[in-house]
């Protein structure tokens, strides 16, 4: 052997030689000199290294891999000798290595099977004094290691004895480092330090730190054990106390037992017989369980939920119709149909209270308020509860897609809860609250189930008398609850669910209604909320009208309220700038908002009018459409082109509207002989029908008469009369069928200064129910057939018998 290992006790420097070894990478193992390490070699690089070492001198250089997925090793390692090896049948090795000395790789040569490295030994560059300080250090390390071995309980007796007997600093450090349970990085650091004294100091620091960690862990375990022992002791004492009471002839329930109190509180709420049977069964199970068991916690939570439900408690309904009507009118303007239905319900309640043959109140109705956003549907539900004298709970259904949100989770699941309906009942603390199901048309469904189907039982007065929540597992009577649902549109509600509700339409507000709402409700509310209640702030009616026409475009009043709030905030800021900073000064502040102030308060106008042509054009007709945000103008344009008889309909329209366009074309072609067409051969003309604002989807049959009039205008090359709008579904025989959304469509016509509107004759009764200001704002013509509409839209010259025979040359 070329290398002579230096004696650690010899202070003289020895000549250092370099040796070449086979590199043996170790996975998450760090080997030290003076130790024996058994290793199982199963990876290809390690097997090749062992095979090459067997062909050489049975010695290897062991180094720990930096990463399990990497081939790079630390440059520091230990030269070791193979003192025993066994080749297994699968080609792997079991070897026992004996560490000789520490070293550092200086040169590495790698082939496709193994690596050869040149190793320089790590020698102490300092002399090791044989002093009392050195002896004290050794003894201190030995005592600290003894404490570590006692606490860890994982170190064999041979190692402990070897550490106690050695007085060699290098050997002492190697023996201790080999059994320390620390991270790989720390082990590499302990292998790298050359100075034996410095290395032993580092070992001592590591031992002390690990001993301190053991002490902290021991303290934590003792605290946890004491808590568990305390709980067990309390449980045993409670059981003993119950036995003592039984021996004394006392009822256990009189002992102040917590479960007995819970059982008594449930019985005081007078649940159904089936519910009481279930409760007694669960309490009997709970008494047999350990208090800290998971099942005991589940049962206890279940019983507490049952105890909080108002099984038989109902709030007293207000039967004063006049007072209820005053409350509804004070909270909301107009909404006559909805208010009428609530007052009818209160009247029936009052009559039934006088009739002895009825033992219980009537079942709560299932109402559904349908209308555009911002029309007061949600706040109306709160007003209904106040008028009835009941508790009010709102449940938001927008985006709910899990059936368990309605029916609850099975209580066996971790974190199980009752459904939203039972939670609302528990929150209201009465069994006859007003529950508002907000945005019921926004329900969704996925693999968790269909919540709309789960609502079928909830919203059926014949079924919800025995509604079973998955968490409760016992029937609960929901028939006394007044359910009010809100929706922007009926299209998103499944028909079976829709059939269980009484639909009450909440239409958009007219301009005059919005002015009244703003003056009576919105302006006083915003003045108070923005700190100007002591000041005099007034908006002229013309100012409110300007805000409605040019800064908001809605059926409700939500944007109107925001605009008014913005005006008042600007006024408040200006008041502070002008020195109105004290309460006395604010009381003297006055401001009347005129229309010409709006540009400074709100900025430039946001809207003008809907898209329509002020001047009449050939082939352009003004239709009316309904949207979820209110009515709007729907112009239809038609042009004729030389071609081969093709028909093209554009404007992002749906299938129903596309069918309406083809029906209108077929009807207009069928009356070719009656009108003065300027086209001799329709087969040589291409027809292009377009509905502007192509980015907005459009569908529905109510544009049928509008498309037919646009086609007739293009075929006869005659423009319609100005300022006329129309709506109605057209059949192939020319009949005009009724449509919906009359109020919203007429409001759009008023907003855009239309003078005349053509409506289907069958909508006449619905028109009579509208407010007088809407009826007086427009001239309405009711038509049953398309030919009647054409007579009102065009001059008499469009008739063939009076035609000038104008023709488009082929």
């Amino acid at each position: 052997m070329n290398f002579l290992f230096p004696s650690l006790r010899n202070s003289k420097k020895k000549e250092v030689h370099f040796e070449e070894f086979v590199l043996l990478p170790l996975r998450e193992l760090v080997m030290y000199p003076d130790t024996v390490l058994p290793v199982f070699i199963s990876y290809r690089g390690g097997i090749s290294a062992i095979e090459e070492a067997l062909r050489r001198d049975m010695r290897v250089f062991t180094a720990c891999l930096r990463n399990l997925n990497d081939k790079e090793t630390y440059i520091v390692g230990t030269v070791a000798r193979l003192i025993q090896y066994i080749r297994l049948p699968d080609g792997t090795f079991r070897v026992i290595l004996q560490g000789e000395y520490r070293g550092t790789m200086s040169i590495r040569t790698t082939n496709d099977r193994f690596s050869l490295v040149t190793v320089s030994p790590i020698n102490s560059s300092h002399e090791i004094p044989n002093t009392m300080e050195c002896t004290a250090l050794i003894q201190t390390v030995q005592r600290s290691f003894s404490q570590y071995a006692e606490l860890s309980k994982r170190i064999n007796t041979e190692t402990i004895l070897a550490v106690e007997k050695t007085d060699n600093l290098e050997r002492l450090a190697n023996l201790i480092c080999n059994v320390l349970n620390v991270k790989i990085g720390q082990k590499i650091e302990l292998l790298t330090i050359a100075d034996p004294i410095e290395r032993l100091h580092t070992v001592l620091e590591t031992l002390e730190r690990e001993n301190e960690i053991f002490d902290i862990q021991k303290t934590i375990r003792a605290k946890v054990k004491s808590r568990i022992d305390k709980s067990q002791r309390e449980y045993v004492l409670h059981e003993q106390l119950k036995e003592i009471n039984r021996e004394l002839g006392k009822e256990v329930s009189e002992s102040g037992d917590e479960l007995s109190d819970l059982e008594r509180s449930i019985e005081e709420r007078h649940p159904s017989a089936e519910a009481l049977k279930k409760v007694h069964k669960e309490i009997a199970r709970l008494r047999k369980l350990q208090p800290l068991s998971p099942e005991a916690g589940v049962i206890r939570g279940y019983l507490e939920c049952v105890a909080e439900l108002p099984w038989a408690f109902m709030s007293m309904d207000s039967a004063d119709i006049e007072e209820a009507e005053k409350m509804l009118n004070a909270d909301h303007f107009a909404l006559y149909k909805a208010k009428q239905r609530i007052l009818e319900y209160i009247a029936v309640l009052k009559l039934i209270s006088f009739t002895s043959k009825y033992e219980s109140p009537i079942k709560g109705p299932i109402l559904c308020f349908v209308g555009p956003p911002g029309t007061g549907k949600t706040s109306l539900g709160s007003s209904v509860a106040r008028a009835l004298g009941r508790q009010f709970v709102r449940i938001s259904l927008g985006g709910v897609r899990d059936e368990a949100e309605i029916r609850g989770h099975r209580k066996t699941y971790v974190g199980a809860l009752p459904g939203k309906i039972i939670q609302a009942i528990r929150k209201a603390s009465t069994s006859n609250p007003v529950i508002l199901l907000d945005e019921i048309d926004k329900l969704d469904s996925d693999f968790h189930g269909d919540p709309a189907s789960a609502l079928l039982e909830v919203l059926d007065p014949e079924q919800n008398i025995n509604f079973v929540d998955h968490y409760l597992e016992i029937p609960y009577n929901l028939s006394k609850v007044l359910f009010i649902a809100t929706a922007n549109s009926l299209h998103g509600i499944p028909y079976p669910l829709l059939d269980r509700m009484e639909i009450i339409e909440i239409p958009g507000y007219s301009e005059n209604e919005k002015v009244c709402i703003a003056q009576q409700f919105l302006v006083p509310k915003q003045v108070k909320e923005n700190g100007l209640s002591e000041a005099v702030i007034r908006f002229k009616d013309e100012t409110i009208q300007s805000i409605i026409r040019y800064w908001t475009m809605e059926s409700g009043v939500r944007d109107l309220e925001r605009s008014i709030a913005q005006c008042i905030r600007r006024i408040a800021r200006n008041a502070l700038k002008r020195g109105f900073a004290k309460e006395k000064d604010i009381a003297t502040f006055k401001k009347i908002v005129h229309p010409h102030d709006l540009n400074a308060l709100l900025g430039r106008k946001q809207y003008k009018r809907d898209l329509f042509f002020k001047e009449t054009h050939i082939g352009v007709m003004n239709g009316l459409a309904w949207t979820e945000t209110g009515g709007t103008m729907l112009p239809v344009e038609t042009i004729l082109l030389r071609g081969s008889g093709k028909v093209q309909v554009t404007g992002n329209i749906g299938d129903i509207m596309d069918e309406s366009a083809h029906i209108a074309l077929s009807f207009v072609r069928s009356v070719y002989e009656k009108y003065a067409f300027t086209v001799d051969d329709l087969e040589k003309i291409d027809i292009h029908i377009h509905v502007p604002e192509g980015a907005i989807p459009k569908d529905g049959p109510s544009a049928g008469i509008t498309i037919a009039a646009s086609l007739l205008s293009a075929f006869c090359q005659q423009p319609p009369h100005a300022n006329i709008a129309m709506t109605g579904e057209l059949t192939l025989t020319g009949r005009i069928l009724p449509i919906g959304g009359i109020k919203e469509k007429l409001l759009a016509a008023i907003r855009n200064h239309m003078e005349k509107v053509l409506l289907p004759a069958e909508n006449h009764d619905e028109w009579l129910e509208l407010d007088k200001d809407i009826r007086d704002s427009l001239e309405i013509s009711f038509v049953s057939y398309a030919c009647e509409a054409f007579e009102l839209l065009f001059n008499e010259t469009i008739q063939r018998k009076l035609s000038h025979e104008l023709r488009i040359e082929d």
Side-chain angles (χ1 to χ4, degrees), residues 161 181 216 317 340 390 504 688:
L161 292 175
N181 186 21
I216 295 172
D317 287 329
Q340 194 70 21
R390 296 189 182 185
I504 298 177
H688 189 166

Side-chain angles (χ1 to χ4, degrees), residues 45 139 240 245 458 467 507 512 520 522 542 558 598 673:
Q139 293 177 357
Q240 291 176 349
N245 283 321
V458 175
F467 172 71
N512 291 339
Q520 296 180 26
L522 304 183
E542 297 83 2
R558 194 168 287 158
L598 293 178
E673 299 296 334

Side-chain angles (χ1 to χ4, degrees), residues 308 310 313 315 390-393 421-435:
E308 293 174 359
F313 176 74
S315 58
R390 296 189 182 185
Q391 294 295 320
F392 174 75
V393 184
I421 304 299
I422 295 299
Q423 289 186 44
I425 296 289
R426 183 168 64 176
K427 181 179 179 181
S429 298
T430 65
S431 57
N432 64 336
V434 175
I435 295 181

Side-chain angles (χ1 to χ4, degrees), residues 702-759:
S702 62
I705 183 60
T706 310
I707 298 173
S710 176
L711 287 166
L712 185 63
S713 174
F715 285 145
C716 298
Q717 292 294 295
Q718 186 174 117
H721 296 309
N723 297 325
I724 298 181
M726 68 203 74
T727 183
E729 180 180 354
L730 182 68
T731 68
L732 272 175
T733 57
R735 289 188 59 197
I736 299 179
L737 302 182
I739 41 81
I742 292 294
K743 182 175 181 180
E744 285 77 11
K745 292 178 179 180
L746 293 182
L747 289 175
I750 295 171
R751 185 172 64 243
N752 291 279
H753 306 295
M754 293 289 105
E755 298 174 358
K756 188 174 184 177
V757 175
L758 306 185
L759 292 179

Side-chain angles (χ1 to χ4, degrees), residues 42-185:
S42 60
Y43 46 97
R44 188 177 64 180
I47 293 173
S48 299
I50 295 297
E51 290 174 344
E52 182 64 18
L54 293 176
R55 286 193 292 267
R56 290 174 175 258
D57 58 352
M58 304 284 284
R59 298 169 76 204
V60 292
F61 179 76
T62 62
C64 183
L65 288 167
R66 290 182 179 272
N67 193 310
L68 290 178
N69 299 323
D70 194 1
K71 295 182 179 180
E72 287 295 320
T73 64
Y74 291 93
I75 63 171
V76 180
T78 301
V79 174
R81 179 179 295 277
L82 276 72
I83 61 174
Q84 186 178 342
Y85 69 92
I86 300 175
R87 182 189 288 272
L88 300 177
D90 59 354
T92 59
F93 281 94
R94 289 186 182 274
V95 299
I96 298 178
L97 302 173
Q98 182 178 19
E100 292 186 355
Y101 61 90
R102 297 179 290 153
T104 304
M105 286 190 291
S106 58
I107 302 174
R108 178 173 177 174
T109 305
T110 304
N111 58 31
D112 57 347
R113 295 179 58 245
F114 56 88
S115 298
L116 294 176
V117 294
T118 302
V119 178
S120 61
I122 299 176
N123 291 326
S124 172
S125 59
H126 303 281
E127 295 183 355
I128 304 174
N130 190 5
T131 61
M132 295 180 63
E133 287 82 4
C134 186
T135 304
L137 176 60
I138 293 174
Q139 293 177 357
T140 304
V141 171
Q142 289 172 336
R143 283 196 297 271
S144 183
F145 178 77
S146 298
Q147 183 182 358
Y148 176 83
E150 182 180 354
L151 292 171
S152 68
K153 302 184 186 304
R154 291 187 303 177
I155 301 174
N156 57 50
T157 307
E158 291 80 6
T159 303
I160 297 174
L161 292 175
V163 169
E164 290 176 350
K165 292 180 178 179
T166 186
D167 57 353
N168 185 305
L169 274 67
E170 184 74 5
R171 176 176 171 78
L172 179 63
N174 289 333
L175 291 173
I176 294 175
C177 291
N178 185 56
V179 295
L180 275 177
N181 186 21
V182 294
K183 295 181 180 180
I184 295 296

Side-chain angles (χ1 to χ4, degrees), residues 483-548:
F483 286 102
I484 298 178
T486 69
N488 297 131
S489 172
L490 298 178
H491 301 299
I493 305 176
Y495 178 77
L497 183 60
L498 192 64
D499 185 57
R500 284 164 166 77
M501 299 186 292
E502 182 180 343
I503 306 301
I504 298 177
E505 293 189 1
I506 308 291
Y509 297 110
S510 66
E511 188 174 289
N512 291 339
E513 287 175 337
K514 289 182 180 179
V515 171
C516 294
I517 291 171
Q519 296 288 26
Q520 296 180 26
F521 299 96
L522 304 183
V523 172
K525 175 185 174 183
Q526 293 301 323
V527 166
K528 182 179 180 181
E529 290 183 357
N530 288 281
L532 293 175
S533 56
E534 300 296 326
V536 179
I537 308 294
R538 289 199 306 111
F539 284 72
K540 298 184 72 66
D541 288 350
E542 297 83 2
T543 306
I544 302 295
Q545 288 174 348
S546 296
I547 295 175
I548 294 169

